Amino acid sequence: MFRKYLITGLLIWVPLVITLWVLDLIISTMDRSLQLLPDQWHPHTLLGFNIPGLGLLLTVAVVLITGMLTRNILGQRLLGFWESLLGRIPIVRSIYSSVKQVSDTILSPNGQAFRKALLIEYPRKGVWTIAFQTGAPADEVRRLVADELVSVYVPTTPNPTSGFFLMVPRADIRELGMSVDQALKYVVSMGVVAPTDRS
């Protein structure tokens, strides 16, 4: 009986504590953006106390303003100048271009990355796992392989930020009806939180 009560208590508290910890981590990290302001503009200097989350609001505001400014012709030119400047710095160039390619692929509203949840046989025939479609293989790969391939990302459990990039024949892929969010939750929960069948 004691064990049952303990497990029930843990099932209630563990998700709540982890959620609060993650939120605290995000807010405290974003609050560091206030350090970019002059000392006389800090909330502690102006009001005599800190306001948690103010850095988060500042970060969101800066990102929104940056997005608005770069949507016009002048902003596009400034962005082009900034990228060409970073492209001339040896180590920064390789890091920036790699990160930019990945973020453009994932965050682009027109991109196909992580738009579909798939079922593939991996790591061997007869064993199935969830994967996410990331696009189409490079032209060189398509020329060398007769089958029509699909680029997929297979996340690991319970940490989906690490995983494997595979190119799988389209004939070996089963497209799932569940959303990407549901499939991700299914992977992170190690199969415990199964999505409801929408069919």
Side-chain angles (χ1 to χ4, degrees):
M1 204 62 155
F2 172 77
R3 187 166 178 257
K4 193 181 288 184
Y5 291 149
L6 182 65
I7 290 171
T8 304
L10 285 173
L11 288 173
I12 292 168
W13 280 105
V14 167
L16 180 63
V17 169
I18 290 175
T19 302
L20 292 173
W21 175 73
V22 169
L23 287 173
D24 179 61
L25 183 67
I26 292 169
I27 291 171
S28 61
T29 302
M30 294 295 190
D31 278 348
R32 290 187 194 143
S33 64
L34 293 172
Q35 294 173 357
L36 299 172
L37 298 173
D39 286 338
Q40 61 269 24
W41 290 5
H42 284 217
H44 187 72
T45 307
L46 293 171
L47 306 171
F49 57 91
N50 288 323
I51 303 172
L54 194 60
L56 175 66
L57 294 175
L58 176 66
T59 304
V60 170
V62 167
V63 170
L64 280 172
I65 291 168
T66 304
M68 287 167 46
L69 291 176
T70 54
R71 295 291 287 182
N72 60 43
I73 295 170
L74 179 62
Q76 289 290 324
R77 286 189 180 171
L78 286 172
L79 183 63
F81 171 75
W82 173 251
E83 288 182 348
S84 71
L85 183 69
L86 290 175
R88 293 190 182 114
I89 306 170
I91 296 172
V92 174
R93 174 180 56 216
S94 57
I95 296 170
Y96 179 78
S97 63
S98 301
V99 172
K100 181 154 176 50
Q101 284 176 348
V102 171
S103 63
D104 285 352
T105 302
I106 293 173
L107 298 175
S108 171
N110 302 324
Q112 295 303 309
F114 296 94
R115 296 292 189 262
K116 290 180 186 172
L118 310 170
L119 196 61
I120 64 168
E121 287 185 290
Y122 179 82
R124 62 175 175 80
K125 288 282 185 185
V127 176
W128 295 85
T129 191
I130 289 179
F132 299 100
Q133 183 173 339
T134 59
D139 291 336
E140 184 178 359
V141 174
R142 283 197 295 248
R143 283 196 302 270
L144 294 172
V145 180
D147 295 333
E148 184 185 358
L149 300 177
V150 175
S151 297
V152 300
Y153 174 71
V154 178
T156 55
T157 301
N159 177 15
T161 58
S162 66
F164 304 95
F165 165 66
L166 306 171
M167 289 174 277
V168 183
R170 187 174 288 281
D172 296 341
I173 288 174
R174 310 283 184 271
E175 194 170 321
L176 294 169
M178 67 180 78
S179 69
V180 170
D181 289 341
Q182 288 175 319
L184 201 54
K185 193 183 293 183
Y186 194 33
V187 169
V188 170
S189 72
M190 297 176 278
V192 175
V193 183
T196 54
D197 193 355
R198 298 187 302 180
S199 58

